[in-house]
RNA sequence: GCCGAAGUGGCGGAAUUGGCAGACGCGCCGGAUUCAAAAUCCGGUUCCCGUUUAGGGAGUAUGGGUUCGAGUCCCAUCUUCGGUACCA
């Protein structure tokens, strides 16, 4: 029975008495020694513009990793992939003379710690701090060159003080549509007072104080809005759509009700256009730009008002196809549409009730089957006066457009399915240019689209749209409209473990901000983390009663807003997990600044045109990046930061996968329950054959590899090298324990280039004359690595270094200077072994502070080159020519070649193609 | 369904603008070293035919096309992965 190939580990070297070989124990010894030395000398600490010894004339490079959520389980080998990538780039840039900002911190608010607190009563801060210590220890052992003096966690009061401060900024700002930017609320008020800004039909000074407050509140970038949530009274919490299955909580199966709650929102939709437009200037992966565009979802169309038959009300719909107005044979309202309340028939009420308690996910799950109910009411098509029935159906969503549509069954798949299911009339109004099957939803020529008031017959779709929009405008039935899929951002969470909102409510429910000087609003400690069971949504924080109920003065509300002894109630919702990660890239510039969220000068130096390289997983391609961009733009508008976009260049590292095993019914078998038999994988217990598949590393699959184990086995340098050698950094690749030994052997050969293994002394031949081939190979390798690193093409850079070491090994000698240069290009990848060899070669300084080697262009080309000769596209021979040979000389040399002559016998040469330096192709028949 | 990315040896992968397909590593095979093993070193390793050699043929998911020449460009199809999900 063969042993299982995975996850059994292989010893890199058998325990040996030879302590001078680069084996497990020596690697670990070297690594720990230098890590301590780097720590003690603060070698990776970088200053700021105003610090002494800071050379501001050097170019800057801000290289940022997406900071991790420190889970209790610690790191697995997938975590460091991106970090190794950014570390290599940072080290390379330092050696090239850049000031490099390369920080690390912790995205530390999060659900797991709160869940754990609920189960065990341990304060989330305690759990989280412990996890951070574990993570930090693991990261340090990999030898990353982070400037640890800049480390912080989002749960630090010193940090979330400023998260709260930024939120207050948003609360105190509004979006000026005309100027397309955020401005302080005070500008809005003075604009209203000076009548430069209108607040509707009633003049500003005729409004009551309450009306004025309401108007202002309706303009704030951070505002209170109504939002439908999944409330689970039993769990005492709001659940995400995916956590609700069939109207019950996924965990525990408790009933979930959908209800509207007043919650803090961000007016991100105001920035939709800018968030979309500014994508143009970003050096980001194309796929991520695409996803951001789709998420924002800009569309052009028209708002159209339909009169209701028999009353003077109208219902507004949004459509991207105003040209199909004549084909609108019915109207559909979302169940939550305000007009629905006025319809009291039992069928409608039953349908609405049922739809309300279906989550969005459920509604979409059975999207094939279109349910709905007829209201019995009619709307009037403004184009032709036709009476069309009004239906209610949950395929129309309240959250998009106006929650109402004009249904054109002939030219929309969903409307078509609905009309077919409910036997509603279908009228064709667009003719395809070429005949087609089924429902025709694209562009063509308008037909059946004429009435006394407007006609578009014969017009192409684009023209027809414009005609209808123009007519809508003149007739007053509507207007052209740009719409977005993006919605305002729900920023309240009914959790304990998050940033508290710096705001309080008086007895009337009116809100007052806490003054800047009283920040941070710290989380109170509570004894019991079990959520309150209640029908009325009550976040966990509500349990801290003495904290919640306080006075304006105690809470820190400015006395000019509210008298200090006024009783107030604190906001008991907290901010979502995204909050802390929306501006952390700014804080790293000056993490201990006490007077500002970021020191102005440090910010403009490091963030001048955004982060130069941001590396992280594609799973954050939409939300984190969009939210951070939004905060950045807000702060930019308010003059707080110098850059309009936070991340100039973005890179996604690939997912590190691992082997897992699947039964024939596709259920998964833990790796430990599988063994290899005659080249097949079988489940130990049953003996059944299982399939080897590639899957994410996860606890449940028991296929997680811990970096600590790999380091104990091979050392951190080998781990780093292996993870970078697996394939392109952006691609996913399966972890294969087998392959690690390859790069470990490479390091052993590197070691042997300099060190006599028997004695541990430097090799005698280091003082010999340089070998010409080795010298050429070195220059080629320096050129290759220098070119590959900025592109993060580490796998090919490593391959070329392996080639160099192989050729130097074969040559039998290398000079001190050659080895020293090679060590410098190796050092970003394998910093420890490089440092050790660097020191042994007699250098006092650190290799990471040395200069990046240069190469001689002239050494890259050989004096003679070998060219393949093709005849009719097949290689038939090779010729050797001087590198500078002319096409004619090359041609003659090719025709003179014996082997070529042989192959050309009996053929007539028609044409000869010479590609200089590449190939010769002879066309003959 | 829609959008995006990708399909290359036994495996991970290389091939910068169309120019010697399979660099480099793993594994495997053979050899050296060793009492033996491990480790290390050297050589070989896409497949098929040719007993060896010389050589020949096929080959980058599939089927077509453009070109002197295609992994690379164009069209169609299939598969896998990721994102998204009735957005009117």
């Amino acid at each position: 029975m063969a042993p299982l190939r995975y996850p059994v580990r292989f010893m890199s070297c058998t325990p040996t008495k030879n302590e001078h070989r680069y084996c497990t124990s020596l690697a670990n010894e070297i690594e720990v020694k230098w890590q301590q030395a780097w720590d003690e000398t603060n070698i990776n600490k970088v200053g700021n513009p105003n610090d002494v010894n800071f050379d501001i004339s050097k170019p800057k490079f801000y290289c940022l990793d997406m900071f991790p959520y420190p889970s209790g389980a610690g790191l697995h080998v997938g975590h460091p992939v991106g970090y190794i990538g950014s570390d290599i780039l940072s080290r390379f840039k330092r050696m090239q003379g850049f000031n490099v900002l390369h920080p690390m911190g912790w995205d530390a608010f999060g659900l797991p710690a709160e869940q754990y607190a609920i189960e065990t009563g341990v304060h989330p801060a305690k759990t989280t701090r412990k996890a951070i210590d574990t993570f930090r220890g693991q990261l340090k052992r990999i030898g990353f060159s982070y400037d640890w003096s800049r480390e912080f966690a989002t749960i630090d009061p010193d940090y979330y003080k400023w998260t709260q401060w930024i939120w207050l900024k948003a609360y105190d700002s509004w979006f000026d549509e005309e100027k397309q930017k955020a401005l302080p609320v005070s500008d809005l008020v003075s604009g209203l007072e000076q009548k430069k800004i209108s607040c509707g039909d009633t003049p500003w000074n005729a409004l009551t104080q309450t009306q004025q407050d309401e108007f202002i509140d309706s303009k704030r970038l951070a505002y209170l809005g109504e939002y439908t949530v999944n409330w689970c009274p039993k769990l005492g919490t709001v659940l995400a759509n995916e956590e609700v299955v069939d109207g019950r909580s996924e965990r525990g199966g408790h009933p979930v009700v959908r209800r509207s709650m007043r919650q803090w929102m961000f007016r991100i939709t105001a920035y939709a256009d800018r968030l979309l437009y500014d994508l143009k200037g970003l050096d980001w992966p194309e796929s991520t730009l695409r996803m951001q565009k789709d998420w924002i979802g800009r569309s052009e169309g028209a708002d159209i008002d339909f009169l209701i038959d028999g009353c003077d009300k109208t219902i507004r719909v949004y459509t991207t196809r105003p040209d199909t107005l004549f084909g609108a044979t019915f109207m559909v309202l979302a169940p939550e549409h305000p007009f629905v309340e006025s319809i009291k028939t039992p069928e409608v009420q039953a349908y609405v009730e049922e739809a309300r308690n279906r989550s969005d996910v459920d509604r979409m799950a059975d999207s094939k089957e279109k349910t709905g109910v007829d209201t019995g009411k009619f709307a009037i098509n403004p184009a032709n006066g036709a009476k069309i029935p009004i239906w209610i159906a949950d395929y129309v969503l309240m959250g998009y457009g106006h929650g109402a549509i004009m249904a054109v069954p002939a030219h929309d798949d969903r409307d078509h399915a609905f009309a077919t299911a409910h036997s509603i009339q279908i009228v064709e109004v667009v003719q395809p240019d070429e005949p087609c099957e089924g429902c025709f939803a694209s562009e063509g020529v308008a037909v059946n689209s004429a009435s006394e008031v407007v006609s578009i017959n014969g017009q192409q779709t684009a023209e027809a749209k414009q005609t209808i929009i123009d007519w809508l405008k003149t007739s007053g039935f509507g207007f052209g409209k740009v719409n977005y899929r993006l919605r305002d951002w729900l920023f309240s969470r009914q959790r304990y473990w998050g940033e508290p909102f710096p705001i309080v409510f008086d007895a009337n429910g009116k809100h007052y901000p806490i003054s800047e000087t009283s920040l941070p609003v710290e989380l109170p400690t509570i004894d019991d983390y079990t959520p309150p069971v209640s029908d009325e949504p009550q976040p966990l924080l509500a349990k801290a009663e003495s904290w919640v109920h306080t006075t304006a003065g105690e809470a820190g509300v400015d006395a000019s807003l509210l008298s200090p002894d006024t009783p107030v109630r604190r906001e008991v919702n907290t901010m979502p997990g995204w909050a802390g990660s929306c501006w952390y890239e700014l804080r790293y510039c000056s993490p201990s600044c006490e007077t500002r969220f970021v020191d102005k000068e440090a910010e403009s130096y490091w963030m001048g045109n955004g982060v130069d390289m941001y590396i992280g997983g594609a799973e954050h391609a939409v939300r984190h990046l969009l939210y951070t961009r939004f905060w950045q733009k807000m702060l930019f508008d308010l003059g707080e930061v110098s850059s309009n976009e936070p991340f100039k260049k973005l890179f996604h590292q690939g997912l590190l996968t691992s082997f897992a095993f699947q039964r024939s019914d596709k259920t998964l078998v833990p790796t430990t329950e599988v063994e290899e038999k005659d080249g097949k994988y079988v489940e130990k217990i049953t003996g059944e054959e299982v399939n080897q598949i590639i899957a994410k590393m996860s606890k449940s699959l028991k296929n997680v590899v811990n970096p600590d184990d790999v380091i104990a086995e091979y050392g951190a340098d080998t781990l780093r090298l292996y993870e970078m050698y697996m394939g392109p950094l952006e691609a996913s690749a399966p972890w294969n324990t087998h392959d690690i030994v390859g790069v470990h052997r490479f390091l052993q050969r590197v070691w042997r280039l300099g060190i006599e293994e028997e004695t541990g002394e430097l090799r005698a031949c280091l003082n010999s004359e340089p070998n010409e081939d080795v010298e050429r190979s070195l220059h080629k390798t320096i050129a290759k690595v220098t070119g590959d690193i900025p592109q993060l093409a580490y796998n090919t850079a490593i391959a070329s270094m392996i080639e160099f070491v192989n050729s130097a090994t074969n040559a039998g000698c290398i000079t001190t200077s050659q080895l020293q240069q090679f060590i410098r290009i190796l050092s970003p990848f394998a910093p420890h072994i490089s440092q050790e060899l660097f020191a042994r070669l007699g250098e006092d300084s650190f290799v990471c502070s040395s200069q990046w080697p240069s190469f001689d262009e002239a050494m890259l080309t050989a004096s003679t080159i070998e060219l393949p000769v093709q005849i009719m596209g097949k290689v038939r021979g090779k010729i050797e020519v001087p590198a500078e040979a002319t096409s004619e000389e090359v041609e003659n040399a090719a025709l003179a070649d014996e082997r070529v002559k042989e192959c050309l016998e009996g053929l007539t040469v028609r044409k000869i193609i010479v590609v200089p330096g590449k190939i010769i192709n002879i066309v003959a028949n």
Side-chain angles (χ1 to χ4, degrees):
Chain A
M1 194 189 303
L4 182 62
R5 294 156 60 114
Y6 178 81
V8 176
R9 295 188 189 88
F10 291 76
M11 290 301 285
S12 53
C13 310
T14 14
T16 165
K17 295 220 167 56
N18 187 347
E19 73 268 31
H20 303 302
R21 288 201 57 190
Y22 185 76
C23 281
T24 307
S25 56
L26 183 60
N28 276 273
E29 191 185 306
I30 289 170
E31 289 172 3
V32 172
K33 179 177 78 182
W34 289 112
Q35 283 168 9
Q36 273 170 7
W38 295 332
D39 250 8
E40 281 159 17
T41 52
N42 271 323
I43 187 69
N44 297 313
K45 189 174 153 84
V46 65
N48 270 352
N50 278 332
D51 295 346
V52 277
N53 296 333
F54 188 81
D55 184 354
I56 198 150
S57 67
K58 283 184 175 181
K60 69 98 182 183
F61 194 82
Y62 187 173
C63 185
L64 182 64
D65 288 303
M66 287 185 187
F67 63 170
Y69 171 77
S71 75
L75 287 180
H76 66 64
V77 288
H79 281 105
V81 173
Y83 305 155
I84 298 169
S86 66
D87 195 59
I88 292 167
L89 186 63
S90 299
R91 288 173 178 275
F92 171 72
K93 288 285 179 182
R94 285 191 199 103
M95 291 173 78
Q96 286 206 319
F98 285 74
N99 285 323
V100 175
L101 177 57
H102 186 45
M104 179 46 79
W106 317 103
D107 187 13
F109 280 119
L111 229 43
E114 180 162 342
Q115 223 89 40
Y116 187 73
I118 292 168
E119 286 161 25
T120 63
V122 179
H123 194 284
K126 209 172 161 186
T127 321
T128 310
R129 294 287 171 195
K130 204 177 139 200
I132 289 174
D133 288 342
T134 308
F135 262 61
R136 189 193 304 104
Q138 286 183 297
L139 291 180
K140 286 200 167 185
R141 186 58 191 82
I142 301 172
F144 292 130
S145 63
Y146 294 121
D147 176 356
W148 285 105
S149 74
R150 293 179 186 251
E151 173 194 356
F152 61 80
T154 54
I155 55 171
D156 298 343
D158 283 354
Y159 180 80
Y160 72 70
K161 164 184 176 170
W162 296 108
T163 311
Q164 292 172 340
W165 180 86
I166 294 170
W167 183 83
L168 280 176
K169 276 274 161 198
Y171 172 82
D172 197 35
S173 304
W174 65 296
F175 193 80
D176 185 333
E177 288 292 338
E178 222 167 276
K179 295 186 177 132
Q180 276 291 302
K181 66 182 281 197
L183 293 168
V185 162
S186 57
D187 285 22
L188 174 63
V189 175
S190 60
L192 287 161
E193 280 165 355
Q194 292 163 27
K195 297 190 177 115
K196 285 181 189 156
I197 300 167
S198 152
C199 56
D201 298 337
T202 321
W204 175 251
N205 51 21
L207 294 177
T208 64
Q209 181 65 46
T210 312
Q211 285 171 323
Q212 288 189 349
D213 289 346
E214 274 171 11
F215 182 80
I216 297 292
D217 287 347
S218 76
K219 293 285 174 187
R220 295 179 189 278
L221 281 179
Y223 67 98
L224 270 178
E226 291 286 330
Y227 206 90
T228 306
V229 297
N230 306 303
W231 173 250
C232 178
K234 187 78 189 165
L235 293 175
T237 185
V238 166
L239 301 172
N241 283 335
E242 328 54 281
E243 294 173 312
V244 183
V245 181
D246 282 336
R248 291 186 165 264
S249 64
E250 193 187 20
R251 242 168 0 99
H254 305 297
V256 173
V257 291
R258 285 170 62 77
R259 52 170 302 159
S260 190
M261 280 176 67
R262 287 195 87 200
Q263 313 199 52
W264 289 106
M265 309 284 292
F266 263 119
R267 203 176 301 281
I268 190 172
T269 48
Y271 280 87
D273 247 339
R274 278 171 61 188
L275 287 168
L276 181 67
Y277 182 80
D278 291 343
L279 288 172
K280 282 184 190 145
L282 300 178
D283 185 0
W284 284 19
E286 204 49 54
S287 58
T288 302
L289 293 173
R290 176 85 262 152
M291 278 191 247
Q292 293 243 329
K293 274 180 208 155
D294 290 349
W295 190 267
I296 296 165
R298 185 183 196 274
S299 70
E300 288 177 14
D303 273 358
I304 305 176
D305 292 330
F306 282 68
L307 275 163
I308 309 299
D309 189 36
C311 70
D312 56 359
K313 279 187 187 158
T314 61
I315 292 178
R316 178 166 288 185
V317 304
Y318 172 74
T319 177
T320 52
R321 291 297 297 270
D323 61 300
T324 61
L325 182 54
F326 284 91
T329 53
F330 60 107
M331 176 183 270
V332 187
L333 308 180
E336 299 88 352
H337 194 278
F339 183 75
V340 172
E341 278 174 37
S342 66
I343 305 159
K344 306 281 190 207
T345 67
E347 293 86 5
V348 167
Q349 288 190 336
Y351 184 78
V352 169
E353 184 59 29
E354 198 194 318
R356 193 198 345 246
N357 283 324
R358 292 171 79 196
S359 70
D360 288 349
V361 172
D362 285 343
R363 278 200 202 178
M364 288 158 192
D366 38 38
S367 59
K368 306 260 160 11
E369 185 198 336
K370 298 245 178 312
T371 62
V373 59
D374 191 352
T375 62
K377 305 262 183 195
F378 291 87
I380 294 165
N381 188 332
N384 56 9
K387 274 171 69 174
I388 58 174
I390 301 175
W391 286 70
I392 297 168
D394 65 5
Y395 82 91
V396 171
L397 307 175
M398 195 57 220
Y400 184 78
H402 306 290
I405 61 159
M406 63 175 216
V408 184
H411 305 292
D412 181 283
D413 290 322
R414 298 150 302 177
D415 298 344
H416 189 266
F418 191 83
T420 313
H422 298 92
S423 311
I424 304 171
Q425 192 193 6
I426 299 171
V427 176
E428 189 192 32
V429 291
V430 186
Q431 220 154 47
D433 296 332
E434 285 167 21
C436 77
E437 298 275 308
C439 174
F440 176 69
S442 48
E443 309 204 334
V445 178
V447 293
N448 298 325
S449 296
S451 69
E452 286 163 15
V453 288
V454 63
S455 167
I456 51 171
N457 278 343
Q459 293 183 9
Q460 285 288 329
T461 299
E463 190 193 353
K465 278 182 183 174
Q466 199 49 55
T467 310
I468 291 289
I469 288 171
D470 291 344
W471 171 75
L472 286 169
K473 218 169 169 186
T474 51
S475 63
F477 281 112
F479 46 87
K481 169 90 179 280
V482 171
N483 215 356
Y484 299 93
R485 183 183 170 276
L486 182 70
R487 294 175 210 180
D488 275 347
W489 176 16
L490 172 63
F491 202 64
S492 294
R493 293 299 130 94
Q494 293 68 43
R495 309 281 186 197
Y496 170 77
W497 194 225
E499 298 88 344
F501 284 90
I503 200 145
V504 295
F505 299 88
D506 68 10
N508 301 320
K510 187 168 153 39
H511 43 79
Y512 299 88
I514 283 162
S515 67
E516 212 180 299
T517 49
S518 302
L519 298 180
V521 177
E522 290 201 46
L523 270 175
T525 47
I526 52 177
D527 312 323
D528 174 15
Y529 293 93
T530 43
V533 176
S534 144
D535 289 338
E536 211 36 50
Q538 282 288 343
L540 196 48
L541 257 185
K543 282 190 154 182
E545 291 207 20
S546 62
W547 178 81
V548 173
H549 299 284
T550 181
T551 62
E554 194 67 32
V557 178
D558 196 301
S560 66
L561 287 176
L562 202 58
S563 145
D565 50 5
T566 316
V568 294
R569 182 173 52 82
R570 288 184 194 267
E571 171 61 80
V572 288
N573 287 294
T574 53
M575 299 186 194
W578 309 105
S581 60
C582 278
W583 71 285
Y584 76 118
E585 77 285 357
L586 296 168
R587 188 64 182 171
Y588 281 133
C589 296
S590 60
S592 44
C593 184
E594 287 174 3
T595 51
R596 225 167 159 275
F597 71 109
V598 59
D599 176 78
K600 263 203 137 128
E601 221 167 318
E603 189 276 335
S604 73
Y605 179 76
W606 293 117
M607 285 294 291
N609 42 7
V611 171
D612 298 279
M613 175 61 85
Y614 190 34
I615 300 187
E619 65 271 23
H620 299 297
V622 180
R623 311 245 264 170
H624 159 62
L625 291 169
L626 198 70
Y627 294 155
T628 307
R629 294 179 63 219
F630 164 57
W631 279 39
Q632 181 80 16
K633 287 184 187 304
M634 210 162 63
L635 291 167
F636 177 73
D637 288 352
L638 299 170
E640 302 291 347
V641 295
S642 53
S643 166
N644 182 35
E645 282 286 338
F647 311 117
K648 184 171 60 183
K649 183 166 174 66
L650 172 72
F651 187 92
H652 297 308
Q653 82 277 12
L655 192 70
L656 190 55
T657 53
S658 173
F659 295 115
F661 298 93
Q662 222 177 24
R663 299 188 187 91
S664 50
D665 64 355
K666 305 263 170 173
T667 54
L668 291 153
V669 187
T671 312
T672 46
E673 302 301 317
V674 175
E675 62 192 0
E676 195 183 357
K677 241 181 198 172
D678 310 324
K680 288 175 180 170
Y681 298 101
V682 297
E683 191 173 352
K684 278 185 194 168
I685 307 167
T686 61
E688 293 283 312
E689 190 177 343
V690 291
N691 263 334
Q692 190 187 48
I693 57 157
I694 288 170
K696 250 186 201 177
M697 283 195 188
S698 82
K699 257 196 246 171
S700 58
L701 295 177
K702 299 210 168 92
N703 62 353
V704 176
V705 181
N706 187 323
D708 300 352
D709 297 339
V710 181
I711 290 170
E713 205 70 54
Y714 297 99
D717 281 337
T718 299
L719 172 76
R720 293 170 61 111
L721 223 39
Y722 172 62
E723 294 209 2
M724 293 303 99
Y725 189 57
M726 294 173 77
L729 195 59
E730 67 274 20
S732 295
W735 181 269
N736 193 344
T737 304
H738 264 333
D739 294 349
I740 301 172
V741 69
V743 286
H744 188 70
R745 281 178 195 152
F746 161 64
L747 290 180
Q748 289 182 321
R749 286 197 293 275
V750 171
W751 184 254
R752 259 199 306 276
L753 278 180
I755 306 297
E756 201 62 67
E757 288 192 333
E758 292 307 310
T759 62
E761 299 289 310
L762 287 175
R763 284 180 64 202
C765 67
L766 285 166
N767 295 319
S768 59
E769 286 296 300
N771 170 307
E772 165 86 14
D773 289 340
V774 173
E775 187 66 18
R776 277 189 189 280
S777 177
L778 177 64
H779 282 262
K780 222 175 96 188
T781 307
I782 295 172
K784 176 74 177 153
V785 175
T786 308
D788 279 353
I789 291 180
Q791 299 178 59
L792 278 57
Y794 299 140
N795 55 331
T796 48
I798 294 168
S800 75
M801 289 191 285
I802 294 174
E803 280 186 87
F804 170 75
V805 170
N806 289 348
S807 70
T809 302
N810 290 341
C813 72
I814 185 170
T815 66
T816 302
S817 157
Q818 287 170 337
L819 180 57
Q820 209 245 44
Q821 287 182 74
F822 173 73
I823 283 166
R824 279 188 278 155
I825 61 167
L826 175 66
S827 69
F829 300 83
H832 311 89
I833 189 175
S834 304
Q835 177 59 61
E836 177 69 16
L837 287 169
F838 197 67
R840 291 202 187 200
L841 289 179
E843 301 289 335
D844 295 331
S845 58
F846 288 119
V847 66
C848 58
S849 316
S850 67
Q851 217 187 13
W852 189 257
S854 56
F855 57 91
D856 181 0
E857 202 75 48
M859 294 292 280
L860 303 184
T861 44
S863 53
T864 60
I865 48 172
E866 195 190 53
L867 290 182
V869 182
Q870 291 184 335
I871 293 164
M872 296 306 287
K874 293 203 182 296
V875 180
R876 296 297 171 181
K878 298 203 172 163
I879 56 166
E880 190 121 325
V881 293
E884 66 280 1
T886 63
S887 293
E888 208 171 317
E889 286 163 352
V890 170
E891 199 175 306
N892 292 335
L895 290 171
D897 186 73
E898 282 304 319
R899 177 98 181 93
V900 173
K901 274 194 206 158
E902 232 172 83
C903 294
L904 284 175
E905 220 156 291
L907 297 175
T908 317
V909 174
R910 302 279 172 201
K911 196 173 173 189
I912 300 177
I913 294 136
V914 177
V915 185
K918 294 276 186 192
I919 206 165
I920 302 116
N921 193 8
I922 300 169
V923 187
N925 58 8

